Each structure stands twice: as C-alpha cells, then as structure tokens.
Amino acid sequence: MTESIVLQRRQGPVLVLTHNNPASRNALSPAFYAALQQALQAAAQDDAIDAIILTGAGGHFCSGGDLRQLALRRTLGEAERLQKIEALHATIRSVQACPKPVIAAVEGAAAGAGMSLALACDMLVVATNAVFSAAYVKVGLSPDGGATAFLAERVSRQLMTQWCLTGERISGAQLHGFGAVNRLAEPGQALAQALELAAQCSGGPHQAMAAIKALCLQAPHQSVADQMAMEAALMVQAQASEESREGIAAFLEKRPADFVRLRKPTTGPL
C-alpha cells in the first residue's frame, strides 16, 4: 500500500487514528501493529494531545486476523507462531499503556482480535448496527488479543462462554445493554460521538488523568487492599503536583482551572 496503514489527523487536542485497509475490512497486519504502536508512543509524549480516537476506514472497525496469513502459520515452528501472536499482544498492551485516554469509535465489524482491540480501549462509542464477534471457533481457533480477559470484565462467564463457543454475532446495542459501551450512536455517527466524548477529556490535568487510567485498568484485577495501596501511592504524588496546586487554587478562587498552561510547549504541528 502506498497510503499509510494508519491515517492521523488532529481535531484540536484530539488525535484521530484511522486503520486504513478498507479492502480487507481493516484486517490486522504487522504493518498496522508497528504503525499504531508508533503513533501511540508519539501521542503519549505530545502535550498538545489530550485524547485519542481509534477507528476504521470504509465503514468497518476491524475484521480481525487475515485468514490467508493465518493459514500459512501452520508451516512455522511454535516459537515463530508465538512471536506473531506477541506482535498483536504488544499492540493491545500499547493501547492500555498509553497515558492518554483511547476511545474506540466502532462502525461495522469488530471481529476476532478486532473485537479485542476495541475492548482494550478505555471507552467505546459504538454504532447501533455494529457487529462484534469472537468468531475464532468457526475456523478452529481459540481467542487471543485479550478477548476472554476483556469479556470477563463485562459479562458473566456463562455468557462469555456462549459467545466464544458459538462465535455468534453481538450487536452494538446488545453490548450497550451489558454496560460495555459508553455511548450508542446512530449508524455513521460513531466518530462524531467519539469526538464529543473526547472533548470532555480535553483541557484536563494530564498527570492526574494518566493516574486515573492506570487505576481503572487495575481495579478489576486487584484486591481492595492492593487497589487502595495503589490509590494512596498515586494520591501522594498528586498532592505534590503543580496540577493539584492549580486545581485546588482554581476551586477556592471560583475560577476555571487552567491545566494547559502547565504543559510543556509543543513544537509539532497542531
């Protein structure tokens, strides 16, 4: 492809990343993994970016793994096959490790590891007619990309087992009913709704928001005692920060807090 596999555009302080392989319904590829990880790492260092939206070109979020490529993996050794899966898993981890909130804007298909990628994001905006599926079983495979971990955070074991054993299609409206979706949009409006949600995160305190994201990611996996210890450690850091100095002063002075002025000046294009 001559055009970038991940298109980037800025809308104010929001970075929109578009998986750009519509001919394959945005099937996953090593080129996509590398480009997305690079974009997220750059965004993490850019103080002019407050939030990130991940979406797909051509009316689909991501159809999952390229079955033509997966069919060739039987010829590889086990270590090589594991290395290929690790590239996917490194990408999923990069979404969660990014200190900025990452919002998935889902239209059309989010299948297999494409569903994993969507659920790895911090928030989801989903079109009513979007379709999710853990369809691995239909081609004799088992889930990867964190699919079972993310589903276990959202639905009962019985329902997750049903979805994974049958590979049945799950609508955006169904996922919203289970509380797994932040906003439900009309078809074609997921990106617009995601931009509105991202705007709510704009202008906020970056250090505090990164700490909040870390706490929210760890909460389902830790005991109450361990989570409270993490909260205490991060609160101690926050209390000494310039962000909290500004936030508390603004509250007491009855004015809007200006966290943006505390950031390093950006040298990149707006």
Side-chain angles (χ1 to χ4, degrees), residues 5 7 16-22 25-26 32 53-62 104-109 191:
I5 190 70
L7 302 178
V16 180
L17 301 177
T18 303
H19 189 178
N20 184 39
N21 189 8
R25 294 188 175 184
N26 302 314
F32 171 73
I53 294 173
L54 180 59
T55 192
H60 290 282
F61 183 77
C62 177
V106 182
E107 301 271 358
L191 179 56

Side-chain angles (χ1 to χ4, degrees), residues 83-113:
Q83 186 178 37
K84 300 285 188 183
I85 296 170
E86 174 55 26
L88 164 64
H89 287 185
T91 304
I92 296 294
R93 287 194 295 270
S94 72
V95 171
Q96 298 199 303
C98 181
K100 311 291 176 68
V102 181
I103 303 169
V106 182
E107 301 271 358

Side-chain angles (χ1 to χ4, degrees), residues 14-263:
V14 180
L15 175 65
V16 180
L17 301 177
T18 303
H19 189 178
N20 184 39
N21 189 8
S24 69
R25 294 188 175 184
N26 302 314
L28 296 168
S29 67
F32 171 73
Y33 299 150
L36 180 59
Q37 289 180 54
Q38 184 178 30
L40 291 171
Q41 289 165 5
Q45 301 300 317
D46 189 340
D47 269 1
I49 294 173
D50 289 348
I52 300 160
I53 294 173
L54 180 59
T55 192
H60 290 282
F61 183 77
C62 177
S63 61
D66 185 331
L67 291 180
R68 293 178 181 82
Q69 294 300 316
L70 290 175
L72 300 176
R73 292 194 185 175
R74 66 176 60 254
T75 65
L76 302 177
E78 186 172 315
E80 291 175 281
R81 295 198 299 273
L82 187 60
Q83 186 178 37
K84 300 285 188 183
I85 296 170
E86 174 55 26
L88 164 64
H89 287 185
T91 304
I92 296 294
R93 287 194 295 270
S94 72
V95 171
Q96 298 199 303
C98 181
K100 311 291 176 68
V102 181
I103 303 169
V106 182
E107 301 271 358
M115 181 179 73
S116 300
L117 181 62
L119 294 178
C121 294
D122 302 300
M123 292 177 278
L124 273 76
V125 177
V126 177
T128 55
N129 62 346
V131 176
F132 294 77
S133 64
Y136 301 87
V137 68
K138 294 188 175 181
V139 291
L141 297 173
S142 56
D144 61 1
T148 52
F150 299 138
L151 286 173
E153 292 177 1
R154 293 161 171 84
V155 300
S156 70
R157 176 176 59 83
Q158 290 77 11
L159 193 55
M160 175 179 68
T161 303
Q162 174 186 324
W163 288 350
C164 291
L165 286 179
T166 65
E168 66 186 77
R169 292 152 65 95
I170 311 150
S171 72
Q174 283 179 285
L175 272 188
H176 183 261
F178 287 110
V181 170
N182 296 83
R183 290 193 181 183
L184 197 60
E186 291 300 315
Q189 294 301 308
L191 179 56
Q193 289 280 330
L195 284 165
E196 289 184 11
L197 183 57
Q200 293 183 254
C201 301
S202 298
H206 279 181
Q207 293 173 29
M209 291 175 71
I212 291 166
K213 174 170 174 172
L215 285 166
C216 292
L217 282 170
Q218 290 302 317
H221 313 294
Q222 298 199 119
S223 67
V224 173
D226 287 344
Q227 187 71 9
M228 289 175 68
M230 184 177 177
E231 288 178 346
L234 292 173
M235 175 62 90
V236 165
Q237 294 176 22
Q239 287 172 346
S241 72
E242 288 302 309
E243 289 181 346
S244 68
R245 184 199 297 271
E246 166 61 14
I248 293 170
F251 179 84
L252 295 175
E253 295 165 12
K254 296 181 173 54
R255 61 174 175 83
D258 184 1
F259 298 112
V260 175
R261 70 176 178 80
L262 302 176
R263 302 175 190 170

